[in-house]
Amino acid sequence: MMPGPGRSGLILEEPLLWEKGKEGRTAFSMPEQDVPECSGEVDRELLGNGPDFPDLSEMDIVRHYTRLSTWNFGIDTGMYPLGSCTMKYNPKINEKMAATPGIAASHPLLADELSQGALQVMFELQTFLATLTGMDAVSLQPAAGAQGEMAGMLVFASYFRKKGEKRNKILIPDTAHGTNPASAALCGFKPVQVKSGADGILDPKIVAELMDEETVGIMLTNPNTLGLFEESIREITAIVHGKGGLVYGDGANMNAVMGLVDFKRCGIDIMHLNLHKTFSTPHGGGGPGAGPVCVVEELEPFLPVPRIVKGRDSYHLEVDCPDSIGRLHAFFGNFGVLVRAYSYILSMGAENLKKASQLAVLNANYVRESLRDVLHLAYDKPCMHECVFSDKKQQEHKISTLDMAKRLIDHGYHPPTIYFPLVVPGAIMIEPTETENKDDLDQFITVFKDVAREAREDGERLRQSPMHSKVRRLDETLAARSPCLTG
Ligand SMILES: *Cc1c(COP(=O)(O)O)cnc(C)c1O
């Protein structure tokens, strides 16, 4: 047996509730009726027959959902090395804080005077995030990273409109997350791709060639999606500012740089953070999230409304901001996510946040060094929070990244991110995060080395994998073209 946590065995089958139900079963007992039966006419047609729900006992229901939950994989089940996602362990104290009755039941329609606690939490969270990034002002409004990007692009558009400048292009590196060009295009800008250099980072000379007075600026990610720090960041931002442009920083990879990088000093004008990645909200499966934007003073008037304003001894929400890009959604988005981030930051403290980032970087470099003999390293230099390999060494055995990723499932690991970023053919992107200890990392490394050995010696086994999972290898094209939605 392999050293990983993977096991076959008790994977229980479970039919749909409709297939499981038996007429007459019930999950509750009503007390005996002690009032006379209604003698009036009941309009049957008006009532209808009700939905056709299956009849189930309490145990039927409990087992059904408990079994389904065992088919799911999450960070509480095991290591989840999905690059570009920061799938780290989220301490349960932060869940508990978000579930505190006064917080969980607070209502967004209550008057400001009755929501002082909630407003204070949000105001202080903004202050923490400003301190962590080095920026001047923060809006917690965006509900996801991509919405933060869109807010940023709307801010850019408003800024140039106010200055009376017509600019319609935006520079975006070829390593960017797909949401970057999408957000820019949504706001009417034409994305212009910037090729990253042979060392995986941006070359200021190329940025200088592309930057002109019709370009609003650049959208860059630091550390970038190859897990590499953009070392020429200050030179690049100076070039963009020199042509009157602005710099958007995609801060989704903040887990690598908390307390380590001052983004304002790097020349960033606006950036978003993914609270659901770095600041302790469980994610994956589509949300909820929060993507606050942090800006320099000059861009503060454009931030979305409502803004939280601190008066002499109370807080209030301000919507009367003439230059604002307006509302992004109703109320304050996913408030519970903001509470988790607040609780996470307070429980960690400044020193430990910095340490978390340092450990995230250390862990990624440990994995990188430990696997470099068996996997091809896309860029052979120290990384930040994630490292990118490829299947180049396995190609001679006709084994692909997909085969290795599927085989990891047999050994109890969620596969890393694969085939992203696009600039690395056959990419395998591993982000271990700071929350895995050395024993767990060593176990993962041993398993991956064994998968690489199998690739050399027993390729057929890899091509057949996964063999011990609930379902075998799926035909992903067929699944997309003819989805079967009935189970
Ligand atoms: C995750 C991610 C995003 C998008 O964030 P969402 O909250 O999923 O919208 C943007 N950029 C980078 C680099 C990311 O990793």
Side-chain angles (χ1 to χ4, degrees), residues 83-86 143-149 175-180 221 223-225 250-253 272-274 276-277 283 289-291 386 420:
S84 200
C85 292
T86 312
Q147 203 181 27
E149 293 167 22
T175 47
H177 195 274
T179 48
N180 287 193
T221 311
N224 70 21
T225 57
D250 178 332
N253 296 334
H272 80 260
L273 302 174
N274 285 42
H276 45 290
K277 287 181 180 166
H283 65 118
E386 57 198 4
F420 179 80

PDB file of all heavy atoms in Angstrom, residues 83-86 143-149 175-180 221 223-225 250-253 272-274 276-277 283 289-291 386 420, ligand 1:
ATOM      1  N   GLY A  83      -3.141  24.950  -6.901  1.00  0.00           N
ATOM      2  CA  GLY A  83      -2.460  26.227  -7.127  1.00  0.00           C
ATOM      3  C   GLY A  83      -3.414  27.318  -7.557  1.00  0.00           C
ATOM      4  O   GLY A  83      -4.453  27.062  -8.161  1.00  0.00           O
ATOM      5  N   SER A  84      -3.042  28.570  -7.207  1.00  0.00           N
ATOM      6  CA  SER A  84      -3.823  29.757  -7.547  1.00  0.00           C
ATOM      7  C   SER A  84      -5.133  29.824  -6.767  1.00  0.00           C
ATOM      8  O   SER A  84      -5.992  30.629  -7.087  1.00  0.00           O
ATOM      9  CB  SER A  84      -4.101  29.836  -9.054  1.00  0.00           C
ATOM     10  OG  SER A  84      -4.436  31.173  -9.395  1.00  0.00           O
ATOM     11  N   CYS A  85      -5.310  28.997  -5.774  1.00  0.00           N
ATOM     12  CA  CYS A  85      -6.577  28.967  -5.029  1.00  0.00           C
ATOM     13  C   CYS A  85      -6.414  29.146  -3.526  1.00  0.00           C
ATOM     14  O   CYS A  85      -7.381  29.429  -2.834  1.00  0.00           O
ATOM     15  CB  CYS A  85      -7.310  27.653  -5.277  1.00  0.00           C
ATOM     16  SG  CYS A  85      -7.892  27.517  -6.966  1.00  0.00           S
ATOM     17  N   THR A  86      -5.202  28.959  -3.002  1.00  0.00           N
ATOM     18  CA  THR A  86      -4.959  29.039  -1.559  1.00  0.00           C
ATOM     19  C   THR A  86      -6.000  28.251  -0.767  1.00  0.00           C
ATOM     20  O   THR A  86      -6.780  28.802   0.006  1.00  0.00           O
ATOM     21  CB  THR A  86      -4.881  30.508  -1.085  1.00  0.00           C
ATOM     22  OG1 THR A  86      -4.015  31.224  -1.949  1.00  0.00           O
ATOM     23  CG2 THR A  86      -4.341  30.603   0.331  1.00  0.00           C
ATOM     24  N   ALA A 143     -17.913  41.431  -4.067  1.00  0.00           N
ATOM     25  CA  ALA A 143     -18.263  40.148  -3.461  1.00  0.00           C
ATOM     26  C   ALA A 143     -17.380  38.996  -3.939  1.00  0.00           C
ATOM     27  O   ALA A 143     -17.592  37.857  -3.561  1.00  0.00           O
ATOM     28  CB  ALA A 143     -19.723  39.833  -3.752  1.00  0.00           C
ATOM     29  N   ALA A 144     -16.406  39.287  -4.789  1.00  0.00           N
ATOM     30  CA  ALA A 144     -15.479  38.247  -5.265  1.00  0.00           C
ATOM     31  C   ALA A 144     -14.274  38.943  -5.862  1.00  0.00           C
ATOM     32  O   ALA A 144     -14.313  40.158  -6.098  1.00  0.00           O
ATOM     33  CB  ALA A 144     -16.144  37.386  -6.335  1.00  0.00           C
ATOM     34  N   GLY A 145     -13.216  38.171  -6.121  1.00  0.00           N
ATOM     35  CA  GLY A 145     -12.039  38.749  -6.750  1.00  0.00           C
ATOM     36  C   GLY A 145     -12.403  39.387  -8.081  1.00  0.00           C
ATOM     37  O   GLY A 145     -12.028  40.533  -8.365  1.00  0.00           O
ATOM     38  N   ALA A 146     -13.150  38.655  -8.885  1.00  0.00           N
ATOM     39  CA  ALA A 146     -13.496  39.168 -10.213  1.00  0.00           C
ATOM     40  C   ALA A 146     -14.319  40.446 -10.110  1.00  0.00           C
ATOM     41  O   ALA A 146     -14.168  41.353 -10.925  1.00  0.00           O
ATOM     42  CB  ALA A 146     -14.260  38.104 -11.003  1.00  0.00           C
ATOM     43  N   GLN A 147     -15.175  40.543  -9.078  1.00  0.00           N
ATOM     44  CA  GLN A 147     -15.954  41.782  -8.950  1.00  0.00           C
ATOM     45  C   GLN A 147     -15.068  42.931  -8.466  1.00  0.00           C
ATOM     46  O   GLN A 147     -15.300  44.085  -8.817  1.00  0.00           O
ATOM     47  CB  GLN A 147     -17.163  41.590  -8.030  1.00  0.00           C
ATOM     48  CG  GLN A 147     -18.232  42.627  -8.342  1.00  0.00           C
ATOM     49  CD  GLN A 147     -19.453  42.532  -7.459  1.00  0.00           C
ATOM     50  OE1 GLN A 147     -19.397  42.070  -6.327  1.00  0.00           O
ATOM     51  NE2 GLN A 147     -20.576  43.004  -7.971  1.00  0.00           N
ATOM     52  N   GLY A 148     -14.027  42.597  -7.696  1.00  0.00           N
ATOM     53  CA  GLY A 148     -13.051  43.613  -7.309  1.00  0.00           C
ATOM     54  C   GLY A 148     -12.342  44.149  -8.546  1.00  0.00           C
ATOM     55  O   GLY A 148     -12.135  45.353  -8.690  1.00  0.00           O
ATOM     56  N   GLU A 149     -11.994  43.237  -9.452  1.00  0.00           N
ATOM     57  CA  GLU A 149     -11.355  43.663 -10.707  1.00  0.00           C
ATOM     58  C   GLU A 149     -12.294  44.581 -11.483  1.00  0.00           C
ATOM     59  O   GLU A 149     -11.878  45.610 -12.017  1.00  0.00           O
ATOM     60  CB  GLU A 149     -11.047  42.449 -11.584  1.00  0.00           C
ATOM     61  CG  GLU A 149      -9.996  41.523 -11.013  1.00  0.00           C
ATOM     62  CD  GLU A 149      -9.977  40.190 -11.760  1.00  0.00           C
ATOM     63  OE1 GLU A 149     -10.441  40.131 -12.907  1.00  0.00           O
ATOM     64  OE2 GLU A 149      -9.506  39.203 -11.168  1.00  0.00           O
ATOM     65  N   THR A 175       0.381  35.703 -18.289  1.00  0.00           N
ATOM     66  CA  THR A 175       0.235  34.785 -17.147  1.00  0.00           C
ATOM     67  C   THR A 175      -1.024  35.092 -16.332  1.00  0.00           C
ATOM     68  O   THR A 175      -1.311  34.398 -15.358  1.00  0.00           O
ATOM     69  CB  THR A 175       1.453  34.920 -16.204  1.00  0.00           C
ATOM     70  OG1 THR A 175       1.685  36.293 -15.978  1.00  0.00           O
ATOM     71  CG2 THR A 175       2.678  34.263 -16.779  1.00  0.00           C
ATOM     72  N   ALA A 176      -1.776  36.139 -16.704  1.00  0.00           N
ATOM     73  CA  ALA A 176      -2.891  36.596 -15.860  1.00  0.00           C
ATOM     74  C   ALA A 176      -3.984  35.548 -15.724  1.00  0.00           C
ATOM     75  O   ALA A 176      -4.174  34.702 -16.595  1.00  0.00           O
ATOM     76  CB  ALA A 176      -3.485  37.879 -16.429  1.00  0.00           C
ATOM     77  N   HIS A 177      -4.696  35.657 -14.613  1.00  0.00           N
ATOM     78  CA  HIS A 177      -5.898  34.862 -14.398  1.00  0.00           C
ATOM     79  C   HIS A 177      -6.924  35.294 -15.451  1.00  0.00           C
ATOM     80  O   HIS A 177      -7.006  36.476 -15.782  1.00  0.00           O
ATOM     81  CB  HIS A 177      -6.409  35.180 -12.990  1.00  0.00           C
ATOM     82  CG  HIS A 177      -7.404  34.218 -12.463  1.00  0.00           C
ATOM     83  ND1 HIS A 177      -8.750  34.327 -12.719  1.00  0.00           N
ATOM     84  CD2 HIS A 177      -7.273  33.122 -11.680  1.00  0.00           C
ATOM     85  CE1 HIS A 177      -9.394  33.347 -12.105  1.00  0.00           C
ATOM     86  NE2 HIS A 177      -8.523  32.597 -11.472  1.00  0.00           N
ATOM     87  N   GLY A 178      -7.727  34.355 -15.936  1.00  0.00           N
ATOM     88  CA  GLY A 178      -8.684  34.661 -17.011  1.00  0.00           C
ATOM     89  C   GLY A 178      -9.668  35.758 -16.675  1.00  0.00           C
ATOM     90  O   GLY A 178     -10.194  36.433 -17.570  1.00  0.00           O
ATOM     91  N   THR A 179      -9.907  35.956 -15.362  1.00  0.00           N
ATOM     92  CA  THR A 179     -10.870  37.010 -15.000  1.00  0.00           C
ATOM     93  C   THR A 179     -10.342  38.402 -15.344  1.00  0.00           C
ATOM     94  O   THR A 179     -11.133  39.317 -15.540  1.00  0.00           O
ATOM     95  CB  THR A 179     -11.166  36.976 -13.479  1.00  0.00           C
ATOM     96  OG1 THR A 179      -9.926  36.903 -12.779  1.00  0.00           O
ATOM     97  CG2 THR A 179     -12.046  35.790 -13.116  1.00  0.00           C
ATOM     98  N   ASN A 180      -9.015  38.578 -15.423  1.00  0.00           N
ATOM     99  CA  ASN A 180      -8.459  39.919 -15.677  1.00  0.00           C
ATOM    100  C   ASN A 180      -8.912  40.493 -17.020  1.00  0.00           C
ATOM    101  O   ASN A 180      -9.548  41.556 -17.056  1.00  0.00           O
ATOM    102  CB  ASN A 180      -6.926  39.925 -15.572  1.00  0.00           C
ATOM    103  CG  ASN A 180      -6.399  39.816 -14.141  1.00  0.00           C
ATOM    104  OD1 ASN A 180      -5.234  40.041 -13.862  1.00  0.00           O
ATOM    105  ND2 ASN A 180      -7.260  39.448 -13.201  1.00  0.00           N
ATOM    106  N   THR A 221      -0.456  40.850 -11.664  1.00  0.00           N
ATOM    107  CA  THR A 221      -0.634  40.016 -10.480  1.00  0.00           C
ATOM    108  C   THR A 221       0.733  39.821  -9.843  1.00  0.00           C
ATOM    109  O   THR A 221       1.673  39.449 -10.539  1.00  0.00           O
ATOM    110  CB  THR A 221      -1.201  38.640 -10.907  1.00  0.00           C
ATOM    111  OG1 THR A 221      -2.312  38.869 -11.765  1.00  0.00           O
ATOM    112  CG2 THR A 221      -1.646  37.830  -9.712  1.00  0.00           C
ATOM    113  N   PRO A 223       2.523  38.218  -6.174  1.00  0.00           N
ATOM    114  CA  PRO A 223       3.245  37.360  -7.089  1.00  0.00           C
ATOM    115  C   PRO A 223       2.338  36.880  -8.224  1.00  0.00           C
ATOM    116  O   PRO A 223       1.143  36.738  -8.030  1.00  0.00           O
ATOM    117  CB  PRO A 223       3.685  36.179  -6.219  1.00  0.00           C
ATOM    118  CG  PRO A 223       3.135  36.386  -4.867  1.00  0.00           C
ATOM    119  CD  PRO A 223       2.436  37.675  -4.818  1.00  0.00           C
ATOM    120  N   ASN A 224       2.947  36.631  -9.382  1.00  0.00           N
ATOM    121  CA  ASN A 224       2.146  36.299 -10.549  1.00  0.00           C
ATOM    122  C   ASN A 224       1.641  34.849 -10.485  1.00  0.00           C
ATOM    123  O   ASN A 224       1.915  34.128  -9.533  1.00  0.00           O
ATOM    124  CB  ASN A 224       2.915  36.614 -11.841  1.00  0.00           C
ATOM    125  CG  ASN A 224       4.088  35.680 -12.078  1.00  0.00           C
ATOM    126  OD1 ASN A 224       4.161  34.576 -11.537  1.00  0.00           O
ATOM    127  ND2 ASN A 224       5.025  36.125 -12.895  1.00  0.00           N
ATOM    128  N   THR A 225       0.888  34.449 -11.487  1.00  0.00           N
ATOM    129  CA  THR A 225       0.256  33.129 -11.415  1.00  0.00           C
ATOM    130  C   THR A 225       1.236  31.987 -11.695  1.00  0.00           C
ATOM    131  O   THR A 225       0.841  30.822 -11.703  1.00  0.00           O
ATOM    132  CB  THR A 225      -0.949  33.027 -12.371  1.00  0.00           C
ATOM    133  OG1 THR A 225      -0.502  33.317 -13.656  1.00  0.00           O
ATOM    134  CG2 THR A 225      -2.051  33.970 -11.981  1.00  0.00           C
ATOM    135  N   ASP A 250      -3.642  42.662  -9.076  1.00  0.00           N
ATOM    136  CA  ASP A 250      -4.496  41.533  -8.690  1.00  0.00           C
ATOM    137  C   ASP A 250      -3.827  40.908  -7.462  1.00  0.00           C
ATOM    138  O   ASP A 250      -2.761  40.316  -7.556  1.00  0.00           O
ATOM    139  CB  ASP A 250      -4.571  40.545  -9.863  1.00  0.00           C
ATOM    140  CG  ASP A 250      -5.401  39.314  -9.544  1.00  0.00           C
ATOM    141  OD1 ASP A 250      -5.490  38.928  -8.364  1.00  0.00           O
ATOM    142  OD2 ASP A 250      -5.948  38.711 -10.492  1.00  0.00           O
ATOM    143  N   GLY A 251      -4.475  41.077  -6.309  1.00  0.00           N
ATOM    144  CA  GLY A 251      -3.867  40.638  -5.047  1.00  0.00           C
ATOM    145  C   GLY A 251      -4.389  39.299  -4.557  1.00  0.00           C
ATOM    146  O   GLY A 251      -4.319  38.996  -3.367  1.00  0.00           O
ATOM    147  N   ALA A 252      -4.905  38.482  -5.494  1.00  0.00           N
ATOM    148  CA  ALA A 252      -5.457  37.177  -5.087  1.00  0.00           C
ATOM    149  C   ALA A 252      -4.380  36.294  -4.452  1.00  0.00           C
ATOM    150  O   ALA A 252      -4.694  35.367  -3.730  1.00  0.00           O
ATOM    151  CB  ALA A 252      -6.085  36.472  -6.277  1.00  0.00           C
ATOM    152  N   ASN A 253      -3.118  36.597  -4.738  1.00  0.00           N
ATOM    153  CA  ASN A 253      -2.031  35.783  -4.187  1.00  0.00           C
ATOM    154  C   ASN A 253      -1.416  36.407  -2.930  1.00  0.00           C
ATOM    155  O   ASN A 253      -0.245  36.195  -2.620  1.00  0.00           O
ATOM    156  CB  ASN A 253      -0.953  35.565  -5.256  1.00  0.00           C
ATOM    157  CG  ASN A 253      -1.482  34.762  -6.432  1.00  0.00           C
ATOM    158  OD1 ASN A 253      -2.416  33.983  -6.270  1.00  0.00           O
ATOM    159  ND2 ASN A 253      -0.899  34.949  -7.604  1.00  0.00           N
ATOM    160  N   HIS A 272      -7.170  44.289  -5.521  1.00  0.00           N
ATOM    161  CA  HIS A 272      -8.189  43.568  -4.752  1.00  0.00           C
ATOM    162  C   HIS A 272      -7.530  42.441  -3.965  1.00  0.00           C
ATOM    163  O   HIS A 272      -6.444  41.978  -4.298  1.00  0.00           O
ATOM    164  CB  HIS A 272      -9.287  43.010  -5.673  1.00  0.00           C
ATOM    165  CG  HIS A 272      -8.931  41.738  -6.370  1.00  0.00           C
ATOM    166  ND1 HIS A 272      -8.513  41.679  -7.672  1.00  0.00           N
ATOM    167  CD2 HIS A 272      -8.942  40.455  -5.935  1.00  0.00           C
ATOM    168  CE1 HIS A 272      -8.270  40.434  -8.005  1.00  0.00           C
ATOM    169  NE2 HIS A 272      -8.517  39.652  -6.968  1.00  0.00           N
ATOM    170  N   LEU A 273      -8.208  42.034  -2.914  1.00  0.00           N
ATOM    171  CA  LEU A 273      -7.776  40.878  -2.126  1.00  0.00           C
ATOM    172  C   LEU A 273      -8.898  39.852  -2.178  1.00  0.00           C
ATOM    173  O   LEU A 273     -10.058  40.216  -2.315  1.00  0.00           O
ATOM    174  CB  LEU A 273      -7.552  41.289  -0.662  1.00  0.00           C
ATOM    175  CG  LEU A 273      -6.538  42.403  -0.433  1.00  0.00           C
ATOM    176  CD1 LEU A 273      -6.531  42.802   1.042  1.00  0.00           C
ATOM    177  CD2 LEU A 273      -5.146  41.947  -0.855  1.00  0.00           C
ATOM    178  N   ASN A 274      -8.556  38.591  -2.080  1.00  0.00           N
ATOM    179  CA  ASN A 274      -9.602  37.564  -2.025  1.00  0.00           C
ATOM    180  C   ASN A 274      -9.710  37.083  -0.579  1.00  0.00           C
ATOM    181  O   ASN A 274      -8.913  36.261  -0.142  1.00  0.00           O
ATOM    182  CB  ASN A 274      -9.250  36.387  -2.944  1.00  0.00           C
ATOM    183  CG  ASN A 274      -9.471  36.720  -4.401  1.00  0.00           C
ATOM    184  OD1 ASN A 274      -9.141  37.819  -4.850  1.00  0.00           O
ATOM    185  ND2 ASN A 274     -10.053  35.798  -5.127  1.00  0.00           N
ATOM    186  N   HIS A 276     -11.751  35.152   0.666  1.00  0.00           N
ATOM    187  CA  HIS A 276     -12.055  33.715   0.713  1.00  0.00           C
ATOM    188  C   HIS A 276     -10.832  32.864   0.384  1.00  0.00           C
ATOM    189  O   HIS A 276     -10.874  31.668   0.553  1.00  0.00           O
ATOM    190  CB  HIS A 276     -13.220  33.385  -0.221  1.00  0.00           C
ATOM    191  CG  HIS A 276     -13.123  34.035  -1.563  1.00  0.00           C
ATOM    192  ND1 HIS A 276     -13.274  35.388  -1.731  1.00  0.00           N
ATOM    193  CD2 HIS A 276     -12.879  33.540  -2.787  1.00  0.00           C
ATOM    194  CE1 HIS A 276     -13.133  35.689  -3.004  1.00  0.00           C
ATOM    195  NE2 HIS A 276     -12.882  34.588  -3.671  1.00  0.00           N
ATOM    196  N   LYS A 277      -9.749  33.455  -0.078  1.00  0.00           N
ATOM    197  CA  LYS A 277      -8.533  32.662  -0.272  1.00  0.00           C
ATOM    198  C   LYS A 277      -7.605  32.842   0.926  1.00  0.00           C
ATOM    199  O   LYS A 277      -7.239  31.889   1.585  1.00  0.00           O
ATOM    200  CB  LYS A 277      -7.810  33.078  -1.549  1.00  0.00           C
ATOM    201  CG  LYS A 277      -8.532  32.611  -2.806  1.00  0.00           C
ATOM    202  CD  LYS A 277      -7.809  33.013  -4.078  1.00  0.00           C
ATOM    203  CE  LYS A 277      -8.603  32.518  -5.287  1.00  0.00           C
ATOM    204  NZ  LYS A 277      -8.155  33.133  -6.527  1.00  0.00           N
ATOM    205  N   HIS A 283     -13.767  27.953   0.687  1.00  0.00           N
ATOM    206  CA  HIS A 283     -14.250  28.297  -0.653  1.00  0.00           C
ATOM    207  C   HIS A 283     -14.085  27.137  -1.613  1.00  0.00           C
ATOM    208  O   HIS A 283     -13.740  26.043  -1.231  1.00  0.00           O
ATOM    209  CB  HIS A 283     -13.569  29.559  -1.173  1.00  0.00           C
ATOM    210  CG  HIS A 283     -12.091  29.410  -1.385  1.00  0.00           C
ATOM    211  ND1 HIS A 283     -11.490  29.546  -2.605  1.00  0.00           N
ATOM    212  CD2 HIS A 283     -11.096  29.143  -0.518  1.00  0.00           C
ATOM    213  CE1 HIS A 283     -10.191  29.368  -2.472  1.00  0.00           C
ATOM    214  NE2 HIS A 283      -9.926  29.118  -1.211  1.00  0.00           N
ATOM    215  N   GLY A 289     -18.006  34.778  -1.262  1.00  0.00           N
ATOM    216  CA  GLY A 289     -16.674  35.321  -1.072  1.00  0.00           C
ATOM    217  C   GLY A 289     -16.721  36.813  -0.843  1.00  0.00           C
ATOM    218  O   GLY A 289     -17.787  37.393  -0.647  1.00  0.00           O
ATOM    219  N   ALA A 290     -15.533  37.425  -0.847  1.00  0.00           N
ATOM    220  CA  ALA A 290     -15.440  38.879  -0.772  1.00  0.00           C
ATOM    221  C   ALA A 290     -14.118  39.299  -1.406  1.00  0.00           C
ATOM    222  O   ALA A 290     -13.093  38.668  -1.167  1.00  0.00           O
ATOM    223  CB  ALA A 290     -15.510  39.368   0.671  1.00  0.00           C
ATOM    224  N   GLY A 291     -14.166  40.338  -2.230  1.00  0.00           N
ATOM    225  CA  GLY A 291     -12.960  40.797  -2.941  1.00  0.00           C
ATOM    226  C   GLY A 291     -12.723  42.279  -2.743  1.00  0.00           C
ATOM    227  O   GLY A 291     -12.749  43.048  -3.714  1.00  0.00           O
ATOM    228  N   GLU A 386       3.633  29.170  -4.542  1.00  0.00           N
ATOM    229  CA  GLU A 386       3.274  28.011  -5.364  1.00  0.00           C
ATOM    230  C   GLU A 386       4.384  27.739  -6.362  1.00  0.00           C
ATOM    231  O   GLU A 386       5.160  28.626  -6.698  1.00  0.00           O
ATOM    232  CB  GLU A 386       1.931  28.223  -6.077  1.00  0.00           C
ATOM    233  CG  GLU A 386       1.872  29.451  -6.953  1.00  0.00           C
ATOM    234  CD  GLU A 386       0.429  29.863  -7.287  1.00  0.00           C
ATOM    235  OE1 GLU A 386      -0.524  29.243  -6.782  1.00  0.00           O
ATOM    236  OE2 GLU A 386       0.272  30.827  -8.053  1.00  0.00           O
ATOM    237  N   PHE A 420      -2.796  25.060 -16.150  1.00  0.00           N
ATOM    238  CA  PHE A 420      -2.851  26.499 -15.893  1.00  0.00           C
ATOM    239  C   PHE A 420      -1.614  26.833 -15.064  1.00  0.00           C
ATOM    240  O   PHE A 420      -1.278  26.050 -14.171  1.00  0.00           O
ATOM    241  CB  PHE A 420      -4.123  26.886 -15.134  1.00  0.00           C
ATOM    242  CG  PHE A 420      -4.196  28.360 -14.825  1.00  0.00           C
ATOM    243  CD1 PHE A 420      -4.609  29.268 -15.793  1.00  0.00           C
ATOM    244  CD2 PHE A 420      -3.799  28.837 -13.575  1.00  0.00           C
ATOM    245  CE1 PHE A 420      -4.637  30.630 -15.512  1.00  0.00           C
ATOM    246  CE2 PHE A 420      -3.825  30.198 -13.303  1.00  0.00           C
ATOM    247  CZ  PHE A 420      -4.253  31.093 -14.271  1.00  0.00           C
TER     248      PHE A 420
HETATM  249  C1  LIG B   1      -8.893  33.408  -7.786  1.00  0.00           C
HETATM  250  C2  LIG B   1      -8.276  34.458  -8.587  1.00  0.00           C
HETATM  251  C3  LIG B   1      -9.057  35.486  -9.161  1.00  0.00           C
HETATM  252  C4  LIG B   1     -10.573  35.504  -9.142  1.00  0.00           C
HETATM  253  O1  LIG B   1     -11.156  35.543  -7.883  1.00  0.00           O
HETATM  254  P1  LIG B   1     -12.673  35.089  -7.669  1.00  0.00           P
HETATM  255  O2  LIG B   1     -12.963  35.403  -6.243  1.00  0.00           O
HETATM  256  O3  LIG B   1     -12.726  33.632  -7.978  1.00  0.00           O
HETATM  257  O4  LIG B   1     -13.517  35.873  -8.603  1.00  0.00           O
HETATM  258  C5  LIG B   1      -8.399  36.495  -9.845  1.00  0.00           C
HETATM  259  N1  LIG B   1      -7.059  36.485  -9.991  1.00  0.00           N
HETATM  260  C6  LIG B   1      -6.282  35.520  -9.457  1.00  0.00           C
HETATM  261  C7  LIG B   1      -4.782  35.581  -9.636  1.00  0.00           C
HETATM  262  C8  LIG B   1      -6.853  34.464  -8.753  1.00  0.00           C
HETATM  263  O5  LIG B   1      -6.081  33.494  -8.251  1.00  0.00           O
END
